[in-house]
Amino acid sequence: MERQLEKHLEETCRVPGISGALCADNNGLCLAARGCKPELAGHVASIAQQAAQLHPNSSTTPVICIESEGGSVLIKSENDVTMAIRGNSWVALKPLCMRRLSAIKRAMGYTTHLSNSLSSLF
Amino acid sequence: MIIMANVQGVDKIQDSLGYLVLTEEGAVISSGGDLQNAEALADRLTKLVYTASRIPVSPDRRETFHKISVIWEQFMYVITVSNHRIYVCKRPYNPQDPAVA
């Protein structure tokens, strides 16, 4: 299962403009990382949970986009997996993040279909 | 006048649904619209800002974020930090090209 997950992250990082990707579980455990330090998994999971707590009654989890002059980080949590992608522009990242999170969910063994809620990413 | 100066125009953003202006510690200086008196939300947003400041956005370690967007289906919070103040604006979210599965 780890091989599939790492393969998805490798494919993600091959996309031009993407400098790193990371997957973490709800407890902040790093499931896989490429171009990012595994130690960031805790912060990534934490920020996803904090953002979800802003509106706990919402049926979907939010997308968190952290932007600076040098790049952007997009974070999205779905089921028990939180994914972070770092790149140049969040506009370019958005469709990639959606596809990759779906692929990673399948690699993790989640059988849920790509729900309409993911289209709300963007 | 002093109160309005602290808002720095965040209350006049077009299509804004609400706003918050907070101190570094998360105390509410000013609020309006949907975020009027939203102290609990302000506390959670402050924690989120502190967590986000620990995530390196670019290879330059000295660089910190200039904007955080938290996006749901219909609306989003846009957060920025300036001059020891946290500014939060709630805006509708209208994606121009929503991704379809």
Side-chain angles (χ1 to χ4, degrees):
Chain A
M1 185 170 74
E2 288 79 15
R3 259 199 303 250
Q4 275 188 311
L5 183 57
E6 287 174 7
K7 179 188 161 193
H8 283 298
L9 285 194
E10 276 177 30
E11 287 174 2
T12 301
C13 289
R14 272 192 227 124
V15 175
I18 304 297
S19 59
L22 179 147
C23 281
D25 72 355
N26 278 350
N27 296 315
L29 172 70
C30 179
L31 301 173
R34 281 287 180 277
C36 295
K37 292 181 180 177
E39 301 88 76
L40 293 174
H43 295 307
V44 168
S46 178
I47 198 171
Q49 287 169 10
Q50 287 171 349
Q53 283 167 13
L54 294 176
H55 288 280
N57 296 328
S58 174
S59 57
T60 59
T61 53
V63 177
I64 305 106
C65 181
I66 307 170
E67 299 174 60
S68 74
E69 291 296 330
S72 303
V73 173
L74 220 63
I75 299 170
K76 168 74 175 170
S77 178
E78 193 83 17
N79 294 117
D80 292 331
V81 178
T82 301
M83 184 173 186
I85 295 180
R86 185 164 72 186
N88 294 339
S89 159
W90 84 281
V91 175
L93 291 176
K94 48 187 190 178
L96 174 71
C97 189
M98 186 194 76
R99 288 197 302 268
R100 288 301 167 194
L101 188 55
S102 173
I104 283 166
K105 278 171 57 183
R106 287 196 295 272
M108 294 288 293
Y110 290 106
T111 56
T112 53
H113 296 291
L114 189 64
S115 67
N116 289 335
S117 62
L118 275 178
S119 70
S120 71
L121 267 178
F122 313 110
Chain B
M1 285 296 289
I2 294 173
I3 293 171
M4 295 314 293
N6 283 334
V7 174
Q8 294 288 333
V10 72
D11 57 328
K12 293 189 171 48
I13 293 173
Q14 203 173 9
D15 77 2
S16 168
L17 300 173
Y19 71 93
L20 279 168
V21 181
L22 313 173
T23 66
E24 286 178 308
E25 291 79 28
V28 179
I29 297 173
S30 182
S31 62
D34 290 358
L35 304 184
Q36 182 81 38
N37 299 324
E39 290 185 2
L41 187 70
D43 186 52
R44 293 179 202 140
L45 284 166
T46 304
K47 288 177 184 165
L48 188 147
V49 167
Y50 275 99
T51 306
S53 68
R54 301 176 75 97
I55 297 176
V57 187
S58 69
D60 184 358
R61 287 188 179 183
R62 294 166 297 179
E63 189 175 15
T64 56
F65 68 86
H66 64 69
K67 183 169 78 171
I68 303 170
S69 304
V70 187
I71 305 166
W72 282 267
E73 290 181 340
Q74 307 287 340
F75 65 93
M76 62 182 179
Y77 293 128
V78 183
I79 306 163
T80 191
V81 180
S82 174
N83 197 25
H84 304 286
R85 296 278 189 267
I86 301 170
Y87 296 88
V88 182
C89 180
K90 181 180 179 182
R91 306 177 71 179
Y93 177 63
N94 300 310
Q96 292 183 353
D97 53 346
V100 177

